[in-house]
Structure formats: structure tokens, C-alpha cells
Amino acid sequence: MAEGLVEGGTECAATTGLAEQPPEPSRGAFEQLSAVADAVLYEGYLLYPYRRSSAKNRVRWQFGVLFPRDWVESDGPVVPGVSGSADSWYQQTECLLRIRRPGDASVRVRVRYLQMQRKQVEDTGHRPVASLRSDDGTVHLTFDEAVPRACEVVVPLDELLDTGRTLSVGAAAGVDVEPLPAGAGRVVRHRDEVRAETTVTAERLTDDLCRLRVRTANTGPAPASGTARDEALRRALIATHTLIGGDGAEFVSLTDPPTDLAAPARSCRNEFTYPVLGGAAEDAGHLLLSAPIILPDHPQIAPESPGDLHDAGEIDEILTLRTMLLTDEEKREARATDPRAAAILDRVDTMPQEVFERLHGAIRSLAPVAPATAPATAERPAWWQEGADGGLSPTTDTVLVGGVPLGGGSRVRLRPRGRGADAQDMFLAGRTAEVAAVFHDVDGSVHLAVTLDDDPASELHTWYGRFHYFRPDELEPLEPAGTPDEPSAPAPVAAKAPLTTDSETPAAEAE
């Protein structure tokens, strides 16, 4: 049975089906993830230089857009995929849920999106114009804005396993009129109706495990055939994403599932969105964010970032510096384009020096190094200081693996980690190789450069200094070359300093 939104509201709560007030833990968890969810909601909303006249701001809203089905499939059916950068009419999340309190578990689902709003400037005769300057010098521009919408429902898990729940997540049409000072004209904001439904169901896999499905679809009528995308957006859900919380239940990571749940994790079908665990890494899996932008588990906003710049793929410091360098005329146009652009300019223009300096970067990966067992020696300079790499020799250094010292010329078998490794490493598992050098990284970790025994270009790679890199725990020492069950190693070649090219090079080597 469908449940409705509060008309025109930015948020609704549909909680019927529970005997008492819904539990609060999952609601509080949603607020902890609000910064990341808002970054998803407004990603690409308006890009630097934040002006209407900029070419990049003329083609907008590229993620999580759900159009009416007949319009988006006018040239053929949509092709499902996990990326939400493709236009669609629906979005489907499937995830695994461990049941911790049988008979008492519940699921909270919040669907969020933007509803397009046309900001039309009109002169004193109520005629539409592209721009208007009022008597106080303020410029007003016609431009497309968006209004955030959200709908939330809490459902007992037993109900989802039985019949499921469907709720309306649409938004009503509306018109707002804002008179300009001194009768200079007015600004009229139009919103078309958006019709959509979300269906939540669950399927039991074992006594304590189920698969949860959340499917949101645009159910509205399609615009006329041949309607441009900019016009069709008026009836679309934009930047659609879903927050899911579990009370008495825990979500399983689909990115890095436990070994015993790898098969059911692979069977989950996520289309035009992908779910990741939310909250801090040490938290239990009570929260999930399913977004049209593929994120890692436990995504976080950098604490140094003072506010959203609507371009998470760019560096805050660079965007801030570029925004500071806009001319006064460019800033006037940006302020007139959209209130969010004006807020960015205000934040940049008034940013304290100490806040700006924090944008330069932060080191989070350094960890204490275990005390050395060797006799005490003079303390080594920090990695950024001159002489920090003194005494290191990649071609002669060794590292112990299973009690065997490995260094240049050592024979090994490759055992890449089953989880978290480079995707290409799966093709190298079990193959034999020769160690060319040992490299110490600035974060204290060690990587060994190797060449494959059966690679016909191994000598050429060694001459160029182009290697595959593995951690010590990914290598298995072998007997010396020449034993009957192992292929012979290629002739040793003097190793040159490695080139920092391609994805094969480990980060920040200290040579």
C-alpha cells in the first residue's frame, strides 16, 4: 500500500506499521552521514567559475537522474549498470542484512533527491527576461535552481520479508513569486510535479541473513516526444540516492564482504547506484549509503574542508584560489546566478588565513614504527628532510619473509592478497618471479620490486626499471634457481633506478 509525502515539503516521514514511535538509533546515524549525503546531492550542481555564462554550467545534473520511463527509453531500453551517470527511469539497491534481533528488527529508508525549479526573472510588465538590474545595482538572472526533497519510512523487517512496502516519494508542483525592490520586476519560481514510488522488500537467504531491495522509479507521465533534456528534467528526480539504516540488523560490505558471504554478495544486483557502509570504520554496519557516484566504504568529508564547492573531484585549495582570482564582474555574475554560488563567494572572501592554510594538505597515513631489534644508531631524519634516504640501498637491502631474507636476485612465488589488492594482481597469483630491489616508503612500509620469470620482456623491464611491486606478505620464498620444479630465473641484470610511471609504481618511494 502506498504512503504519501507531505505536499511540497522538503521531508516527510511515513512510519505506519509500527506499534510505537520508531527507534531513534538509525535516524541519528543518518545525521552523522549528512555531510557525505549532501555532497552527493549537490555534486556538479554548479561548477567553477559558478557563472551562468560558463559553458560547463549549461549542461547540468549528470548523476542519479530518473526521468519518466517513456521519455528516457524513447530510443531503446536503458542499459543497467552500477554507475549512476547514465540517465534512467529507476534505481535499484540490493544489499545483505544480518538479522541480530529476530522478530524485532526494523529498517529505516530515506530517499533523497533534487526537484528542478525554474527561476524566471520578469520585468515590470511581467514579461520574461534573461536578466534584470534593480535600482540598487543588484543583478537578477534567469536560471534553473533545485529544491531538496526527502521521504523516509520505517518498516519492521518481518513485514518486508512478507509483503514489502511501497511509498510515494514524489513532490508537488508549485509556484513562488518574489517581488523585486522598488517595483523593478519580480522573480517567479516554477516547479513541475514529480511522481515517483519506492518499493522496499526483503528475501530471506538463511535464518540470520536476508537480501534487502530498495527500488525507486519515476512513475510520472513523459513529456512530449522530442522534448529536450533540459525541459524533461522538470519531471525528473535529480541526484537520487538512498540512506538505509538497520535497528536490530547489520549490513554487510559488498565491496569487501566476508569470505563466507562472497557468493551472496556477488548475487546482489545494483543498478544505477551502489551501496557502501556508512559511518566510521570502527562502527558496526548499521548504516548504508547507496549513491549514483561509486564511493568506498565509510566515506568521509575531510575535516579541513570548510564547505561544499560542488566538485568533489577537484582539490579544495585549487578551487578556492581560483575563486579568489575571479574579477569583480565575474563575482557579480556568479552571485546573481544562484544563492549557492553566492554562499561560496562569501565563504572564500571571508576565509581566515588559518583555515586556508589547512587546505594545503594533511598526512593521515603515518603510524608509529615498531622498535628496531638492531643496535641503537643515530636517529634517521624525517622523510621530508635532507638525508632521510641515507643508508638505503634498494639493490642490496633485504627484508625477512618467513625467516628468509629476500633481496635482489631472490626467487619468490607471488601470493597477492585476496582482498584490497590491485585488480590486475589476480592474473599474477601463483607465478614465480625474481626480486630486483627493496624499497622503503615514506609511511614506513616496504615493497619489493619483481620481474616475472615467464615474461619474455623481463630483461627489458629490468633495464628500464619497470617492475611489479608487492608487499613482503604477498611473496613466498622459493628454493634457489635450478630446482626441478621451478623454472630457471633469467640472468641477473643490474637494476637502474625505477621510473615513476604508470600504476605499477608504489606511492612515495624513498630510494
Side-chain angles (χ1 to χ4, degrees):
M1 180 178 179
E3 297 168 0
L5 264 168
V6 175
E7 182 175 346
T10 59
E11 185 166 357
C12 76
T15 58
T16 59
L18 290 179
E20 54 189 39
Q21 184 68 20
E24 289 300 315
S26 58
R27 177 183 290 273
F30 281 1
E31 306 316 317
Q32 296 174 15
L33 197 58
S34 61
V36 176
D38 286 347
V40 171
L41 187 66
Y42 287 102
E43 177 65 13
Y45 174 82
L46 195 64
L47 299 175
Y48 170 89
Y50 308 112
R51 304 191 317 267
R52 183 186 68 172
S53 60
S54 174
K56 64 175 71 173
N57 288 320
R58 296 176 187 173
V59 180
R60 303 170 66 199
W61 294 309
Q62 303 298 318
F63 302 102
V65 182
L66 308 184
F67 289 98
R69 181 173 185 174
D70 289 346
W71 183 87
V72 77
E73 291 192 332
S74 59
D75 294 327
V78 296
V79 180
V82 295
S83 174
S85 59
D87 292 340
S88 178
W89 59 272
Y90 75 96
Q91 190 179 82
Q92 176 175 294
T93 298
E94 285 192 352
C95 56
L96 299 180
L97 193 63
R98 293 183 186 269
I99 306 171
R100 297 306 189 192
R101 295 201 312 262
D104 188 38
S106 63
V107 174
R108 182 186 299 272
V109 176
R110 181 183 295 176
V111 178
R112 305 175 78 229
Y113 62 93
L114 295 175
Q115 179 187 17
M116 180 174 156
Q117 176 173 266
R118 177 69 172 173
K119 181 183 73 173
Q120 178 64 61
V121 178
E122 298 181 354
D123 61 16
T124 54
H126 296 175
R127 292 180 294 269
V129 294
S131 64
L132 187 68
R133 185 183 297 271
S134 56
D135 293 342
D136 61 0
T138 303
V139 176
H140 303 272
L141 300 178
T142 293
F143 196 65
D144 289 335
E145 302 172 334
V147 179
R149 303 298 188 192
C151 189
E152 184 172 306
V153 65
V154 179
V155 192
L157 183 57
D158 286 346
E159 178 184 337
L160 298 180
L161 289 166
D162 184 20
T163 60
R165 179 77 69 88
T166 297
L167 63 150
S168 171
V169 294
V175 178
D176 299 324
V177 180
E178 175 191 352
L180 296 179
R186 66 180 188 174
V187 175
V188 182
R189 291 177 168 88
H190 298 266
R191 295 178 301 278
D192 285 4
E193 181 186 16
V194 175
R195 299 182 191 176
E197 288 185 348
T198 294
T199 299
V200 188
T201 58
E203 172 191 0
R204 189 180 295 277
L205 302 180
T206 65
D207 288 343
D208 62 350
L209 181 71
C210 68
R211 179 184 293 111
L212 184 71
R213 174 185 292 177
V214 180
R215 185 180 176 95
T216 298
N218 188 319
T219 58
S225 177
T227 300
R229 185 178 187 272
D230 288 348
E231 289 298 317
L233 282 166
R234 296 172 181 263
R235 303 184 188 180
L237 292 77
I238 299 169
T240 313
H241 59 283
T242 308
L243 284 77
I244 311 174
D247 290 316
E250 294 178 4
F251 296 101
V252 175
S253 170
L254 298 189
T255 303
D256 191 11
T259 303
D260 60 326
L261 296 180
R266 285 194 300 270
S267 69
C268 290
R269 293 292 175 260
N270 289 284
E271 298 175 355
F272 305 104
T273 187
Y274 189 77
V276 297
L277 298 180
E282 60 272 14
D283 293 343
H286 295 300
L287 182 64
L288 206 71
L289 170 62
S290 185
I293 302 169
I294 299 178
L295 301 169
D297 280 337
H298 310 291
Q300 301 288 329
I301 299 296
E304 295 80 12
S305 180
D308 198 353
L309 295 168
H310 308 321
D311 190 354
E314 188 53 274
I315 300 172
D316 278 26
E317 183 183 33
I318 293 176
L319 280 181
T320 300
L321 285 169
R322 288 176 174 175
T323 304
M324 287 178 173
L325 294 177
L326 292 175
T327 65
D328 291 342
E329 181 58 34
E330 288 175 322
K331 288 183 178 181
R332 277 192 293 271
E333 182 185 348
R335 290 182 185 279
T337 296
D338 191 273
R340 288 189 163 270
I344 291 174
L345 293 175
D346 290 342
R347 186 171 67 244
V348 168
D349 289 344
T350 60
M351 184 177 293
Q353 182 64 26
E354 60 270 18
V355 174
F356 178 75
E357 289 174 353
R358 290 202 297 268
L359 298 181
H360 190 62
I363 299 173
R364 310 189 203 280
S365 60
L366 298 185
V369 179
T373 56
T377 57
E379 185 177 353
R380 183 182 299 278
W383 64 266
W384 62 83
Q385 296 176 332
E386 185 177 357
D389 57 353
L392 297 179
S393 176
T395 56
T396 60
D397 285 349
T398 60
V399 60
L400 285 177
V401 177
V404 178
L406 295 183
S410 298
R411 303 282 319 296
V412 295
R413 188 180 299 279
L414 307 181
R415 302 293 188 192
R417 289 167 292 165
R419 293 180 289 173
D422 188 306
Q424 295 189 30
D425 286 351
M426 68 178 72
F427 301 111
L428 305 181
R431 295 168 68 176
T432 59
E434 179 179 334
V435 176
V438 177
F439 294 101
H440 297 264
D441 295 347
V442 298
D443 63 359
S445 62
V446 177
H447 284 85
L448 288 86
V450 304
T451 56
L452 300 175
D453 287 346
D454 57 358
D455 185 348
S458 61
E459 293 188 12
L460 181 63
H461 290 327
T462 302
W463 188 84
Y464 274 114
R466 185 187 181 104
F467 306 112
H468 295 280
Y469 293 86
F470 293 90
R471 287 172 44 176
D473 61 359
E474 297 179 300
L475 301 179
E476 174 188 321
L478 293 177
E479 294 297 325
T483 55
D485 60 337
E486 301 294 343
S488 58
V493 181
K496 296 181 65 176
L499 302 177
T500 55
T501 58
D502 296 340
S503 60
E504 297 174 341
T505 305
E509 297 163 354
E511 299 176 16

